[in-house]
């Protein structure tokens, strides 16, 4: 029923009211129950409705009397419908023919509703969730606690009271009264926690439960240490112990499991939770669980060379699933970039165990040589590869950043225009904005009379309000990212308190943005530019409530698995009338939507994707390129090491480029000026046909431009003939023809002809040999050769002489 350690802990701190089996109403006799239902406020106005309820009540009471128990609640729990809520009325109807009664389902449902209003029986929470009735809330409010419900509805703001979420919240409170009894003022934190943690299949009103909790908490009904919100408590596990972290991997060897737990417990005080969790994943998951999977029965940290080598070979690669552009998912095997870091962690674990063994004899049995050498932990090559990849991403995205900003602004203006037109359109009308036509349906209407959505020209349902919200937060995130270079978790932690002012010695007051400690646990200040001030002003104006204040909301630290105190966060919005932080996944999705709308692509034609951290790299690169000293950029970025800052900056080698340009300029100065004059049209027309005249049957002529053929166009004999490799058959035909002609000349006695033909034959065979050599060279590997030790020694001795 519960999900997450945090949910279990909350229910221990704030338990629900106990379920009773006896109270005055359930202990009443049959006649007393029927008599109460005939008196106000339990009696309804309509005669037919009242008659239907009374018929159902009499049948249900008669049926419950067939089960053991001294109260109606005990008889209810002994009946089969208490444990089987689906179609409970069928079980009652199976019994009614035995007493000659024709029962309708409507009579039974109306009778059960009357028993709930009379507080005769109290079903389980899941039972009511399965048999949800829209009549339960108004009936219970009228019969059980009319003053309490009236006071609460008066307290709820009018714009919230008429929404469907408010109706769900009131229904959730009515269900709590039906299962626990009492009035609204008797509800405790645990009652709503239990209702919120009902199984998902039976829980259709969880947002309503959370909203009802916020109402009662704001009215001061719950203790001050109660949770600020029930949001995410159903699936936030919170921090778990080192033993629970290790047990996630179901290790078979219990001694090694105990050693890992002790090691993590020893390291826990000096580590943050995210690092502790990563350490457990590496040692228990990537290392020991992998060894147990491939080497069953292993029980010692002393690994054989074969076992260690096999583990490092498996560690070098990983299987990943990659989604393609057409939506298909491919399973690929790729190098594991974190392999050096994992090896380093395993080596540090072995070295720590060896050091502890010197002072603690009981740990001496585990001391073993590390299966990873220091050289195998080197990350220099990986760092260079990552630096090159990061620089390539930055250089590819920095030029298109202005285009992305323009698209972001346009999308926000268009979304705002569509939303304004939708809010002004009456039900059933069709309106056109920005060339798009929309129809406002009459059927889909909220309780406040406002339509829930529109349909476009294709008939697809569109939520223009959600589109405008995503467009706004996408614009705000991109603008703040590119003007500050902060991380996404720092963006989510920005609050109204982050905007401060500072008076310079000159007397001028400048606005500053205070970045809360995050990754490096070190806060920093960033000067607010006029462009950034406009963005922050728009965000604050959007999130203010009716009192003009930025609401205080709690946030959940995904890394530390803890809840932060309520703060006036800037990135917050209202969903189901519940204030919550704008999540990191929502920011990324909104960013992806903007990128798809921009149509920006990379060199291969694929959509160019941006990650929030790309803006941080572009900010640092642009700042240093525009003259900001690297040490100042380090302070603004919040880096502890200036090498980290320079690693973010994709700076071109300006000195090398300028020196190369100067070298080219000096060479041009040394050459005659007429060599760099512009070519005339006549010279160009004369130059181009030269390449056409070079094309021959056997290949191309390689003589220089403007020179005549010195061999009288005897191309077979010419040494500057560039023979094409695919012309070998033609040359062989020429060679065979020359041999036949030489034989004829010798037979006829033409000795002068024999000498000339022999020269051409030698040239043809030489060119055929050249083609064969090139083909053989192209097909076979090139052996470069390695110097022997004797050659190295001789070369060294000759150098020293």
């Amino acid at each position: 029923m519960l999900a997450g350690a945090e949910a279990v802990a909350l229910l221990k701190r704030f338990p629900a009211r106990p379920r009773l089996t006896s109270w005055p109403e359930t202990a009443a006799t049959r006649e007393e129950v029927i008599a109460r239902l005939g008196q106000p406020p339990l009696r309804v106005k309509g005669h037919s409705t009242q008659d239907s309820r009374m018929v159902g009540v009499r049948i249900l009471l008669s049926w419950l009397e067939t089960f053991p128990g001294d109260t109606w609640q005990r008889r209810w729990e002994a009946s089969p419908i208490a444990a089987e809520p689906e179609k409970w009325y069928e079980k009652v109807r199976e019994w009614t023919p035995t007493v000659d009664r024709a029962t309708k389902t409507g009579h039974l449902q109306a009778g059960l509703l009357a028993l709930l209003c009379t507080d005769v029986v109290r079903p389980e929470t899941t039972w009511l969730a399965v048999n949800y009735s829209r009549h339960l809330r108004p009936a219970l409010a009228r019969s059980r606690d009319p003053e309490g419900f009236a006071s609460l509805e008066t307290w709820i703001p009018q714009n919230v009271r008429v929404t469907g979420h408010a109706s769900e919240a009131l229904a959730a409170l009515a269900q709590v009264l039906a299962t626990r009894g009492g009035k609204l003022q008797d509800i405790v934190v645990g009652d709503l926690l239990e209702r919120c943690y009902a199984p998902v299949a039976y829980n259709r009103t969880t947002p309503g439960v959370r909203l009802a909790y916020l109402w009662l908490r704001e009215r001061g009904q719950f203790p001050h240490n109660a949770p600020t919100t029930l949001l995410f408590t159903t699936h936030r596990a919170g921090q778990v112990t080192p033993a629970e972290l290790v047990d996630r991997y179901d290790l078979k060897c219990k001694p090694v499991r105990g050693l890992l737990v002790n090691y993590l417990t020893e390291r826990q005080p000096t580590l943050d939770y995210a690092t502790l969790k990563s350490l457990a994943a590496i040692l228990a998951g990537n290392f020991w669980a992998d060894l147990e999977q491939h080497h069953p029965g292993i029980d010692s940290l002393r690994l054989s060379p074969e076992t260690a080598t096999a583990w490092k070979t498996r560690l070098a690669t990983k299987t990943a699933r990659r989604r393609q552009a057409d939506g298909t998912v491919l399973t690929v095997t790729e190098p594991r970039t974190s392999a050096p870091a994992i090896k380093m962690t395993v080596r540090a674990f072995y070295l720590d165990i060896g050091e502890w063994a010197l002072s603690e004899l009981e740990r001496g049995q585990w001391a073993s040589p590390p299966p990873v050498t220091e050289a195998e932990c080197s990350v220099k090559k990986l760092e260079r590869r990552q630096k090159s990849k990061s620089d390539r991403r930055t250089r590819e995205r920095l030029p298109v950043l202005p285009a992305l900003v323009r698209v972001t602004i346009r999308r926000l203006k268009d979304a705002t225009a569509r939303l304004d037109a939708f809010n002004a359109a009456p039900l059933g009308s069709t309106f056109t904005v920005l060339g798009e036509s929309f129809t406002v349906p009459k059927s889909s209407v909220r309780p406040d009379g406002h339509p829930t959505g529109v349909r476009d020209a294709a008939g697809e349902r569109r939520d223009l309000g959600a589109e405008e919200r995503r467009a706004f937060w996408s614009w705000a995130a991109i603008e703040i990212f590119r003007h500050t270079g902060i991380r996404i978790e720092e963006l989510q932690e920005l609050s109204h308190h982050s905007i401060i002012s500072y008076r310079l010695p000159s007397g001028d007051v400048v606005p500053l943005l205070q970045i809360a400690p995050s990754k490096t646990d070190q806060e920093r200040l960033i000067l607010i530019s006029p462009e950034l001030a406009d963005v922050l002003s728009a965000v604050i104006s959007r999130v203010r409530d009716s009192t003009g204040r930025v609401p205080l909301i709690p946030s959940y630290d995904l890394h530390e698995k803890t809840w932060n105190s309520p703060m006036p966060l800037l990135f917050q919005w209202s969903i189901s009338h519940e204030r919550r932080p704008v999540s990191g996944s929502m920011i990324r999705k909104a960013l992806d939507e903007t990128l798809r709308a921009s149509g920006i692509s990379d060199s291969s034609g694929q959509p160019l994707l941006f990650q929030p951290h790309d803006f941080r790299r572009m900010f640092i690169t642009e700042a240093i390129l525009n003259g900001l000293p690297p040490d100042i950029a380090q302070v603004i970025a919040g880096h502890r090491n200036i090498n980290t800052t320079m690693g973010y900056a994709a700076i071109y080698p300006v000195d090398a480029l300028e020196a190369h340009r100067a070298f080219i300029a000096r060479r041009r100065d040394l050459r005659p000026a007429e060599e760099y004059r512009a070519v005339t049209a006549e010279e160009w027309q004369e130059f181009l046909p030269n390449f056409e005249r070079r094309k021959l049957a056997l290949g191309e002529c390689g003589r220089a431009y403007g020179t005549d053929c010195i061999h009288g166009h005897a191309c077979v004999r010419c040494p500057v003939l560039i023979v094409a490799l695919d012309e070998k058959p033609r040359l062989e035909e020429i060679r065979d023809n020359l041999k036949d002609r030489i034989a004829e000349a010798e037979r006829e006695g033409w000795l002068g002809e024999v000498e000339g033909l022999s020269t051409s034959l030698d040239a043809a065979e030489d060119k055929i040999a050249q083609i064969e050599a090139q083909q053989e060279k192209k097909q076979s590997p090139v052996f470069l050769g390695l110097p022997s030790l004797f050659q190295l020694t001789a070369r060294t001795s000759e150098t020293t002489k």
Side-chain angles (χ1 to χ4, degrees):
M1 182 176 180
L2 300 179
E6 188 171 353
V8 177
L10 278 177
L11 272 179
K12 287 182 179 179
R13 289 173 54 199
F14 305 99
R17 286 179 291 169
R19 290 189 58 82
L20 304 177
T21 57
S22 178
W23 60 90
E25 290 79 5
T26 193
T29 63
R30 174 191 178 96
E31 291 73 18
E32 291 174 343
V33 172
I34 294 176
R36 286 189 60 203
L37 287 171
Q39 302 296 325
L42 295 173
R43 181 181 178 87
V44 295
K45 295 180 179 179
H47 293 290
S48 60
T49 304
Q50 177 69 13
D51 293 342
S52 176
R53 295 179 71 179
M54 297 308 297
V55 169
V57 166
R58 290 186 175 92
I59 294 175
L60 285 174
L61 292 179
S62 300
W63 181 71
L64 289 174
E65 286 176 337
T66 62
F67 298 99
D70 55 351
T71 64
W72 298 111
Q73 179 65 20
R74 291 193 176 99
R75 297 183 186 110
W76 170 273
E77 293 176 354
S79 69
I81 64 174
E84 301 176 12
E86 292 84 359
K87 296 184 178 181
W88 61 272
Y89 43 82
E90 296 291 348
K91 301 176 177 62
V92 182
R93 293 182 64 179
E94 291 174 359
W95 170 81
T96 53
T98 63
V99 292
D100 296 329
R101 291 174 181 169
T103 307
K104 295 181 179 180
T105 301
H107 291 161
L108 298 178
Q109 291 174 336
L112 180 60
L113 179 61
L115 293 180
L116 293 177
C117 292
T118 319
D119 200 16
V120 172
V121 293
R122 296 175 183 175
E124 290 282 354
T125 300
T126 54
W127 198 98
L128 282 180
V130 173
N131 296 279
Y132 178 81
S133 172
R134 60 185 178 89
H135 303 291
L136 178 64
R137 193 262 296 178
L140 275 179
R142 181 178 60 254
S143 60
R144 298 272 288 273
D145 191 10
E147 296 83 5
F149 276 93
S151 174
L152 178 61
E153 292 183 14
T154 304
W155 177 84
I156 300 171
Q158 173 64 24
N159 63 323
V160 178
R161 191 189 316 156
V162 296
T163 61
H165 300 296
S167 179
E168 289 181 359
L170 293 172
L173 293 175
Q175 288 184 355
V176 172
L177 297 187
T179 57
R180 297 293 177 178
K183 298 185 177 182
L184 287 181
Q185 62 183 11
D186 300 322
I187 295 177
V188 298
V189 174
D191 294 343
L192 290 174
L193 284 174
E194 185 183 74
R195 178 65 184 81
C196 190
Y197 297 156
V200 177
Y202 303 138
N203 201 355
R204 300 182 297 176
T205 59
T206 300
V209 178
R210 294 199 300 263
L211 185 58
Y213 178 88
L214 290 177
W215 289 345
L216 299 185
R217 191 182 189 281
E218 291 178 7
R219 300 188 75 189
Q221 185 165 327
F222 298 151
H224 69 280
N225 61 340
T228 307
T229 176
L230 298 186
L231 182 65
F232 301 137
T233 57
T234 55
H235 58 275
R236 299 297 194 200
Q239 292 189 0
V240 298
T241 63
E244 292 173 313
L245 289 175
V246 173
D247 289 341
R248 291 177 176 179
Y249 302 95
D250 191 24
L251 302 184
K252 302 297 186 296
C253 183
K254 299 307 177 183
V256 173
R257 180 259 179 197
L259 174 67
L260 293 177
V261 171
N262 292 337
Y263 178 76
L264 294 176
T265 304
E266 188 105 7
R267 296 286 310 275
Q268 186 176 12
T270 60
L271 301 177
D272 57 70
Y273 183 76
T275 305
L276 180 69
K277 183 180 177 182
S278 175
L279 186 61
I282 291 175
L283 296 179
N286 297 108
F287 180 56
W288 194 254
D290 180 85
L291 289 175
E292 287 188 341
Q293 178 183 356
H294 294 88
H295 306 278
I298 187 171
D299 58 357
S300 173
L301 293 181
R302 188 177 296 274
L303 306 183
S304 64
E306 295 78 11
T307 302
T309 301
W311 172 73
K312 286 181 282 189
T313 301
R314 294 191 299 271
L315 183 67
T317 59
K318 66 177 181 178
T319 301
R321 293 167 60 86
R322 294 286 180 260
R323 184 175 297 277
Q324 305 301 308
D326 57 357
T328 59
V329 178
L330 296 180
T331 301
V332 297
T333 301
E334 58 186 28
R336 190 192 302 268
T337 57
S338 60
I342 295 176
K343 294 177 183 177
M344 189 180 302
T345 301
V346 172
R347 176 176 172 82
F349 167 67
Y350 271 81
L351 295 179
D352 288 341
I353 296 299
E355 183 178 351
W356 292 347
L358 298 177
S359 57
E360 301 180 24
L361 297 179
E362 56 208 27
R363 294 188 182 179
Q365 59 175 329
W366 296 108
S368 305
V372 181
T373 64
E374 184 176 359
E376 291 174 321
C377 299
S378 176
V379 295
K380 291 183 178 180
K381 182 182 295 186
L382 177 63
E383 289 176 348
R384 288 194 297 266
R385 190 180 299 117
Q386 290 178 340
K387 168 64 175 172
S388 176
K389 182 180 179 180
S390 173
D391 289 352
R392 185 173 63 253
R393 286 183 63 93
T394 302
R395 290 168 181 156
E396 195 174 26
R397 285 156 180 78
L398 188 57
V400 301
L401 181 58
L404 178 62
V405 173
R406 289 193 297 269
V407 171
T408 305
I409 297 174
R410 176 180 56 80
R411 289 187 71 246
L412 177 57
K413 291 181 179 179
D414 294 349
T416 304
R418 284 192 290 266
L419 182 60
D420 293 341
F422 166 59
N423 291 331
L427 293 177
S429 64
T430 300
F431 64 94
T432 302
V433 58
L434 301 175
E436 294 181 281
S437 297
F438 299 94
T439 302
V440 183
K442 292 183 179 181
S443 57
S444 182
V445 181
R446 295 200 299 253
D448 58 356
H450 196 274
T452 58
V454 297
R455 294 193 178 274
D456 56 18
E460 297 293 333
R461 187 181 182 278
R462 297 269 295 273
D463 189 344
L464 300 183
E467 292 180 7
E468 190 274 340
R469 288 194 297 270
R470 290 195 298 270
F472 176 84
W473 291 114
S474 175
W475 167 78
I478 290 176
E479 288 294 315
I480 295 177
F481 278 144
R482 76 184 189 95
H483 287 299
T484 62
I486 61 177
R487 306 176 180 93
I488 186 172
E489 58 267 21
E490 295 170 341
L491 174 76
Q492 295 177 268
E493 293 176 359
L494 286 180
S495 70
H496 204 183
H497 298 162
S498 302
I499 304 173
I500 61 177
S501 61
Y502 174 71
R503 185 176 296 276
L504 298 173
S506 61
D508 296 334
V509 178
V510 295
L512 299 176
L513 189 64
Q514 184 179 18
I515 307 301
S518 60
K519 185 176 180 179
T520 59
D521 288 334
Q522 181 179 0
E523 67 177 9
R524 61 189 190 276
L525 298 173
I526 297 177
L527 183 66
I528 298 179
S529 63
E531 296 81 5
L532 180 59
D534 291 341
V535 179
L536 295 175
S537 176
V539 172
I540 293 174
S541 300
R542 187 181 185 91
V543 301
R544 276 179 173 153
D545 57 17
S546 57
T547 64
R549 297 187 179 93
V550 177
L552 302 178
I553 61 171
S555 59
Y556 188 78
D557 191 329
L558 291 173
H559 299 285
E560 291 301 309
K561 306 298 181 184
T562 56
W563 283 93
N564 300 321
S565 302
M567 293 285 291
L569 299 179
L570 297 185
F571 272 67
Q572 61 171 280
W573 58 359
S574 179
I575 297 180
S576 302
H577 298 281
E578 180 181 8
R579 291 278 184 168
R580 63 177 66 178
V582 179
S583 65
S585 61
M586 183 271 154
I587 295 175
R588 291 184 174 89
K589 289 179 181 177
L591 182 59
D592 290 341
E593 288 182 2
T594 303
L595 291 169
R596 287 194 296 268
S598 67
I600 299 175
S601 59
D602 56 17
S603 56
S604 62
Q606 297 297 321
L608 189 62
L609 300 180
F610 277 71
Q611 295 295 333
H613 220 67
D614 289 328
F615 293 95
R616 181 171 173 83
R617 297 188 185 96
M618 289 188 290
F619 172 81
I620 297 175
T621 299
E622 195 171 19
I624 294 179
L625 287 177
N626 285 286
L628 186 69
D631 57 331
I632 303 300
Q634 173 194 355
V635 175
I636 295 176
H639 290 148
R640 291 179 178 176
N641 193 329
I642 195 172
N643 292 327
T644 305
T645 306
M646 298 307 297
Y648 273 55
I651 302 174
Y652 290 91
V654 179
D655 295 339
L657 294 177
E658 292 297 332
H660 194 186
R661 291 180 62 189
F663 168 72
I664 295 175
R666 287 194 301 271
R667 287 192 60 185
R668 294 191 66 172
D669 291 339
L670 296 176
R671 303 292 298 176
E674 57 270 14
E675 292 187 2
Y676 298 101
R677 65 179 178 84
V679 180
T680 64
E682 293 77 10
E683 291 174 333
W684 187 250
Q685 293 299 327
E686 180 185 356
F687 176 73
L688 290 179
N690 175 73
F691 294 97
E692 297 295 330
R693 291 194 298 269
R694 289 186 178 190
K695 295 180 180 179
L696 306 172
L698 296 177
E700 293 184 357
C701 180
R703 70 179 186 274
Y705 168 70
T707 60
D708 297 328
C709 180
I710 61 176
H711 296 93
H713 299 285
C715 297
V716 176
R717 300 183 181 183
C718 183
V720 296
L721 173 64
I722 305 174
V723 183
L725 297 181
D726 55 354
E727 295 298 334
K728 180 182 177 183
R730 187 185 295 272
L731 275 174
E732 291 175 343
E733 182 180 352
I734 294 175
R735 178 195 60 186
D736 297 340
N737 181 267
L738 288 172
K739 288 181 178 179
D740 293 341
R741 292 178 61 188
I742 291 174
E744 180 186 5
E746 290 177 345
R747 187 172 58 253
E748 298 293 337
W750 303 332
L751 299 182
E753 190 74 15
V754 171
E755 183 178 357
L757 293 174
S758 298
T759 303
S760 299
L761 178 61
D762 294 339
E765 290 179 342
D766 180 63
K767 286 179 170 50
I768 292 174
Q770 293 177 12
I771 292 177
E772 293 175 347
Q774 291 180 12
Q775 291 177 340
E776 181 180 358
K777 182 178 181 181
K778 186 176 182 180
Q779 296 175 358
S780 60
V782 178
F783 179 71
L784 300 177
L786 294 175
S788 63
L789 180 62
F790 174 77
Q791 291 173 327
L792 290 175
T793 306
R795 190 175 302 171
T796 304
S797 61
E798 291 177 359
T799 304
T800 55
K801 287 182 179 180

